[in-house]
Amino acid sequence: MSALIDRSSAPRHLVAIEATDARRLPAARKRLDAAQRRWLDANGFDARPGSAILLADTHGKPARVLAGVDADDPLAALAALPMTLPEGAYQLAGEGVALDPAQAALGWALGAYRFTRYRKAKRAPATLAVDTATLAAVQPLVEATTLVRDLVNTPTEDMGPEQLGEAVRRLGKAHKAKVHDWVGKELLKANFPTIHAVGRASHREPRLIELSWGKAEHPKLVIVGKGVCFDTGGLDLKPSDGMRWMKKDMGGAAHAIALAGLVMQAKLPVRLTLLVPAVENAVSGNALRPGEVVVTRAGHSVEIDNTDAEGRLVLCDALAYGAEQQPELMIDFATLTGAARVALGPDLPALFGNDDALADAALAAGKAVADPLWRLPLWRPYRKMLDSYLADFANAGPSRHAGAITAALYLERFVPDGLPWLHLDTYAWNDADRPGRPRGGEAMGLRALFALLQQRYGKA
């Protein structure tokens, strides 16, 4: 059941939700009758952000909701209400704190999400009635975020490389796009050696999935997503606590797939290529070993310093292939480094870019749509941290310093000079439940990058 409905087809009786804060609470009280004010006092409602109270009319039926909000955080304002208010239809009142309707509706819908593949939801969410224009603007973002969350939340047994390919095929079918993939030894024949090297130890064959859409005369856009469906760390095996949530290591692919869907649904005038290198980094007799040297698609020889730095290996062949198409812009998403989380925490994706104006535009877009990013530098003197004594460079190094930066510098070697490129090192996960952000898979940076693309190429 959708948490948002068009007001034109909504039930006749809609319960009004008045957003308020401590300063506006006295005015809100004046709009209530004596019984409602007593109920407010009895429950100690003080309009703190995240608080809410349901008020009844003289017949005991729901009449109004007062919701304490932070006016500077409209996305979270109503996000807790879909699962805390009784089932029914609501609308935002005209009085009180003036919230942005689209942001409030998006937060409501994101707060209504529940992952129900393996167990039924305990209840349906309350619904929010919005105008037709708001629904049209918000619903694609809700669906894209839901797709990211569903893909990331699905355990690896049901979301391996093949299933990730099926997700791309469903998307391609929906938008009449062309989908092709290279599987197993086909990767070697087609010169994708690092994707094959990372995934060869698994019983589930590695693959590179390509989706193509749009008119040939439009500017070329390449979107790449890291699709490591489970990461044991390889022979540099992760400890159990580090391995526990590695089903989410395909979160970059989930973001890339969702962003491609938004681009196609909005019919942006681009020639789109989506690339998803999908592997399982497993352990077996033919697993990639530390100390091996792999010659990548781009011709660089790479010493494998650490098999747990596998994401950059699968991405580098995909980036090299994407660059061969001579796009106007290339974007990649990856759950690439724990170092980015140490630097910025779980909520801020690390943004890297080789074009200052483009990176600034991405940061501004993220701020405008309440999907923040934080730029880290491509500090090229740190390339020395990836020096190798027998290959062109290594995939990792002995120092833990600047881990997110050195990973981005590794990827940058596969992006030709002059090709605008953005790299998002994203967490794709909520460690705990918060309003609008339920525990589990999460879209982080998706709306920001879509807003950037809308600005760059024009809205539908």
Side-chain angles (χ1 to χ4, degrees), residues 39 66 84 87 98 153 190 205 217 244 248 251 274 308:
W39 183 249
L66 292 184
T84 56
E87 294 180 33
N153 281 329
E205 291 186 297
E217 64 269 22
R244 173 62 179 88
K248 80 176 189 68
L274 167 67
D308 196 21

Side-chain angles (χ1 to χ4, degrees), residues 204-387:
R204 310 165 96 173
E205 291 186 297
R207 62 185 63 211
L208 175 64
I209 309 146
E210 178 183 34
L211 177 147
S212 303
W213 173 89
K215 297 180 180 179
E217 64 269 22
H218 285 160
K220 292 182 180 179
L221 168 66
V222 173
I223 301 173
V224 183
K226 172 189 168 184
V228 178
C229 296
F230 195 85
D231 180 20
T232 66
L235 290 177
D236 287 305
L237 198 68
K238 292 178 182 288
S240 59
D241 59 343
M243 202 187 303
R244 173 62 179 88
W245 298 109
M246 282 299 99
K247 69 174 184 177
K248 80 176 189 68
D249 213 18
M250 39 62 67
H255 281 73
I257 293 168
L259 181 59
L262 285 169
V263 167
M264 292 187 287
Q265 187 169 358
K267 295 182 171 57
L268 296 186
V270 296
R271 175 62 175 169
L272 171 68
T273 297
L274 167 67
L275 297 172
V276 176
V279 304
E280 186 172 7
N281 188 22
V283 177
S284 72
N286 68 336
L288 184 66
R289 294 177 290 272
E292 289 188 16
V293 174
V294 180
V295 179
T296 70
R297 180 182 184 87
H300 301 304
S301 60
V302 175
E303 182 184 8
I304 307 305
D305 178 81
N306 192 320
T307 62
D308 196 21
E310 86 299 331
R312 63 200 73 180
L313 293 174
V314 300
L315 284 172
C316 72
D317 273 356
L319 288 172
Y321 176 63
E324 291 166 15
Q325 301 184 28
Q326 298 182 319
E328 181 188 82
L329 173 62
M330 187 155 62
I331 297 170
D332 79 76
F333 293 86
T335 52
L336 201 62
T337 67
R341 309 287 71 79
V342 172
L344 300 177
D347 294 346
L348 279 175
L351 173 71
F352 295 87
N354 61 1
D355 182 294
D356 289 342
L358 176 64
D360 288 345
L363 294 174
K367 184 176 181 179
V369 298
D371 191 20
L373 310 171
W374 196 271
R375 190 180 183 189
L376 293 181
L378 288 166
W379 188 249
R380 290 180 180 86
Y382 287 168
R383 278 190 174 187
K384 289 187 64 64
M385 295 184 184
L386 299 180
D387 281 353

Side-chain angles (χ1 to χ4, degrees), residues 14 73 131 139 218 242 266 281 337 357 384 391 423 427:
L14 296 171
D73 191 8
D131 61 54
Q139 196 61 37
H218 285 160
N281 188 22
T337 67
K384 289 187 64 64
H423 161 58
Y427 193 41

Side-chain angles (χ1 to χ4, degrees), residues 390-401:
L390 79 168
D392 291 332
F393 46 90
N395 74 324
S399 175
R400 290 189 174 186
H401 292 168

